[in-house]
Every structure is written in C-alpha cells, then in structure tokens.
Amino acid sequence: MRYRGLSLAKRSALELERYLQKEVVREHRLRQILWECTLRCDLRCRHCGSDCKTKSDAVDMPVEDFLRVLDGVAARMDPHEVFVTISGGEPLMRHDLEHCGRLIYDKGFPWGMVTNARHLDPERFARLVDAGLHSIAVSLDGLEEDHDWMRGWAGSFKRVEQAIGLLRAEPLVVWDVVTCVTERNVGHLAALRDWLIDHGVESWRLVDVFPMGRAASDPQMLLSDRHYRYLLDFIRETQRSYPQLSANYGCEGFVGEYEYDVREHAFFCHAGVSVAGILCDGSISACTSIRGGYVQGNIYRDDFMNVWEHCFECYRDHEWMRKDQCADCNMWRYCRGNGMHLRDSDGRLLQCHLERLVRGGESPAES
C-alpha cells in the first residue's frame, strides 16, 4: 500500500529512530522477562487471548523452575537490569505469589505484575509490597457497567476501584491503568477519563483488542476503522489537554501520522529483542501473546540464555514479513511488518494499522 500521512518532520524523526532501533536489535540485550506463572483465572473476559479458566488443564509452573532460569540470567548479566513481570491467567490465583515475588526479589531482580485486581485486598497488597513488588498494571475497561460486562463478573469494577485506592496510598509501587477499547466502550472514553482523573490516576494505557482468542469471533470487541481513528484522536487530545493524566497507546503497531502523538516513543516491537517470555509449560517465547510456531525452546530441555543469545531470529530480522500487504508498502522501513503478536501461525498479518487509518478516513500530511 501507499501511505501519505507522514510529515517531513516525522519522517526525519523516524529515520533517526530507525538507526537507533537497529542498534537495539544488534545488541539484543535482555531487559524484561515475562513469566506466565499460571493459566488459571476466575473471570471470563470477553477478549481473553489465552481462554483461561478457573481450573486450567495446565498446572502452575513451580517457582523453583523459573528461579533456575533467573540463576542462568544472573550468571551472565546484572539481575538489577532485568525486570520480571508476572502475568497469567491471573497471577493472584496463585496463593504462593508473595513467596514467588520474595524469591525473585532476593535474587536481585525487580518485579511487577499484571492483574485484574479481583483478589487484591489490602492485606494481600501489603504482603506483595513486603515481598518487593515494584509495579502493577491494573485492567479497567470502562465505568462499572462496561467493565463488569467485559470481565464477566458483577463486582469487578468495585475491586479495581479499591485497588486504585491502595495504589495511590503506596509511594513505593509504580502503577498504571490499562484499558481495552472496544465497540462497546469507545463512546464512553471521555467519561472514563474524568473518572480516572478524579481518582488520582496519573498513567493510562489504552489498547484496542486484536483478533485472537475469544475476541476473534466477537464483533463487539473489534473497533471499526472509524472508531480506531477516533481512539488515536482521543489519546492525542488527552495528551495535549489533560497534562495531569499521561495517556498512551499501547505497543499495538505502527500508527503513521500519529507516531509521537499517542506514545512517548516511536513504535518498536521489543518482543524477542529485549523482552523474553516464559510460558506456563516452560516454552521460551517473547510477549506472552505470542505462541505456536514462534516458540524458541523450552526451559525443561534448553538453557534459556543460550536460546536468548542464539535463537529468536524471526523476532530480530523481520524480512520474512515482507509479503502480502507488506511487500510493497512505502512505510515498511518504519513499521517492519508490525508487532509479532499480530502474526498468525502461518505468518499472515492479522491487521494492518495503516490500512485501518486509511479506511477510517486518512488525514492529510501535517504541515
């Protein structure tokens, strides 16, 4: 495709960014490990990409197995420079999560977690902080009616509201709110923004749902092209007019003329470049949204650091993506085929953000 939305100023900035990103890929220095500690979850979120259940067929990974990975990392790197993010499923389904966190922290690794907050009561939060918790990302997909509908449990919104109160009162933990924007809640973003400001939220990350897992067959989950452009306009307007709330678009993909306006940095997929993922069954991946043929090994048969150093070629060299709609796209040099999580098991791109912008009404190039 031919995209005409970039100004000369943004092209120049992206050219510099392109050079810097090449250096990051060349070094592929590990900065973050995502640990999928469980596939259990007692919510039934409409957009879930893992199709998690209260009683999953996959057993929780023993923390000792994950700690052996960290020992291998610490033998080669400074553990203080590698952040561990615990995800799931829902991490708080593990009754030993505080124990896991303390063991990770005692090995020198800072750690944080992603949670739906259902089980984040004051007592548990205090134990997590005592275990060295550094950061939390809390999911909130709208005001009460929208959020409870999305999460499949009446009462979920109230638990998130309680969690935000706990986080506001704890200066040692860095936190943000993550919102999945859908056809149902896109028209209510301004009201949610007001609520977040009133409740002292300072960092807000917005993402749109990509067509995978349960969301792939639910038309209420996937934004129309017009609403996708509206989402980016909303984030840009929030950044400009509401300085008390840092609103950012997630790492979903390259967004053309909106680059630098909706994120604090240009798009760059760090999966397999500076981010690795350990899935619940021991598979070595990158982002936990990436599975299937993109798994690079397994901790139960492979040395993790050896895999990190000598595998991940498909993550670090995207030339294999230059096909289909990417084959002759004039934005390839900046997009590089979009995020790895948007490729299916056959390597096909699930959605192109530039195509969505064009279909949603392309803006003229900025002056």
Side-chain angles (χ1 to χ4, degrees):
M1 65 171 291
R2 309 301 294 177
Y3 181 78
R4 301 184 302 277
L6 280 185
S7 67
L8 178 59
K10 285 191 177 174
R11 282 182 181 272
S12 299
L14 288 168
E15 284 296 328
L16 175 60
E17 192 73 34
R18 183 168 170 263
Y19 169 78
L20 297 174
Q21 291 175 2
K22 282 184 177 180
E23 287 299 299
V24 174
V25 172
R26 183 184 65 81
E27 293 180 359
H28 56 265
R29 186 169 181 80
L30 183 64
R31 297 293 186 186
Q32 183 180 20
I33 300 176
L34 307 176
W35 180 32
E36 184 183 69
C37 70
T38 182
L39 282 177
R40 291 181 294 134
C41 182
D42 53 359
L43 295 185
R44 187 159 180 81
C45 305
R46 291 176 176 267
H47 64 301
C48 182
S50 303
D51 200 23
C52 300
K53 302 172 183 176
T54 302
K55 295 182 179 179
S56 173
D57 294 333
V59 298
D60 296 351
M61 178 182 287
V63 66
E64 294 78 13
D65 297 348
F66 181 66
L67 293 176
R68 282 194 289 271
V69 172
L70 297 186
D71 287 339
V73 175
R76 305 273 292 275
M77 301 180 62
D78 182 351
H80 298 90
E81 296 180 356
V82 181
F83 196 92
V84 174
T85 300
I86 302 178
S87 69
E90 169 50 50
L92 291 171
M93 292 289 288
R94 286 188 67 132
H95 298 298
D96 66 343
L97 184 63
E98 298 90 322
H99 176 63
C100 297
R102 169 50 65 181
L103 293 173
I104 292 168
Y105 184 73
D106 286 346
K107 288 185 177 293
F109 292 85
W111 70 278
M113 61 182 292
V114 181
T115 180
N116 61 39
R118 179 170 182 172
H119 300 287
L120 194 65
D121 57 38
E123 294 75 20
R124 188 121 200 237
F125 181 61
R127 295 198 300 270
L128 290 166
V129 173
D130 288 343
L133 178 70
H134 278 60
S135 73
I136 286 189
V138 179
S139 300
L140 179 62
D141 300 319
L143 297 178
E144 188 163 11
E145 184 178 348
D146 285 337
H147 180 78
D148 287 356
W149 173 85
M150 181 77 151
R151 297 288 161 171
W153 179 60
S156 181
F157 177 84
K158 293 296 186 185
R159 292 296 176 87
V160 175
E161 184 176 29
Q162 173 185 258
I164 289 174
L166 295 172
L167 290 163
R168 284 183 61 192
E170 178 48 70
L172 296 179
V173 177
V174 176
W175 58 284
D176 67 350
V177 167
V178 182
T179 297
C180 292
V181 182
T182 67
E183 279 294 286
R184 177 185 173 106
N185 68 8
V186 66
H188 307 154
L189 291 179
L192 179 57
R193 177 178 60 197
D194 293 343
W195 188 93
L196 294 173
I197 292 172
D198 288 344
H199 284 73
V201 175
E202 297 179 355
S203 183
W204 187 22
R205 196 161 14 125
L206 299 96
V207 299
D208 57 305
V209 180
F210 56 95
M212 192 172 288
R214 296 173 189 162
S217 58
D218 189 344
Q220 296 181 89
M221 291 294 99
L222 306 179
L223 287 177
S224 68
D225 297 328
R226 181 173 62 88
H227 282 154
Y228 178 67
R229 181 174 281 277
Y230 169 81
L231 168 61
L232 298 183
D233 285 333
F234 174 84
I235 296 172
R236 180 164 61 185
E237 190 263 337
T238 299
Q239 285 200 357
R240 292 174 177 175
S241 303
Y242 296 84
Q244 68 271 50
L245 177 62
S246 175
N248 284 279
Y249 184 53
C251 58
E252 298 307 297
F254 180 71
V255 289
E257 76 259 34
Y258 291 94
E259 289 293 327
Y260 299 106
D261 291 345
V262 297
R263 279 187 292 243
E264 296 173 353
H265 51 79
F267 168 70
F268 179 40
C269 183
H270 284 270
V273 176
S274 60
V275 177
I278 307 298
L279 304 186
C280 201
D281 65 354
S283 295
I284 301 171
S285 181
C287 166
T288 52
S289 296
I290 305 170
R291 300 177 116 81
Y294 304 107
V295 166
Q296 300 296 293
N298 193 290
I299 65 169
Y300 293 114
R301 66 169 185 269
D302 303 307
D303 177 76
F304 170 78
M305 284 303 293
N306 186 60
V307 171
W308 178 257
E309 290 294 337
H310 301 291
C311 300
F312 286 94
E313 182 179 359
C314 65
Y315 292 82
R316 297 167 187 169
D317 183 355
H318 284 196
E319 283 299 317
W320 64 272
M321 295 183 180
R322 200 195 282 256
K323 60 183 180 180
D324 303 326
Q325 64 263 58
C326 296
D328 59 354
C329 179
N330 65 326
M331 292 290 107
W332 167 264
R333 64 192 295 108
Y334 311 129
C335 177
R336 303 293 295 173
N338 237 336
M340 281 288 295
H341 68 287
L342 293 174
R343 295 279 165 172
D344 69 10
S345 58
D346 296 320
R348 290 188 294 263
L349 183 62
L350 295 174
Q351 63 182 16
C352 170
H353 295 74
L354 296 181
E355 288 181 345
R356 298 172 75 190
L357 290 174
V358 171
R359 292 193 301 260
E362 185 177 0
S363 298
E366 302 162 33
S367 58

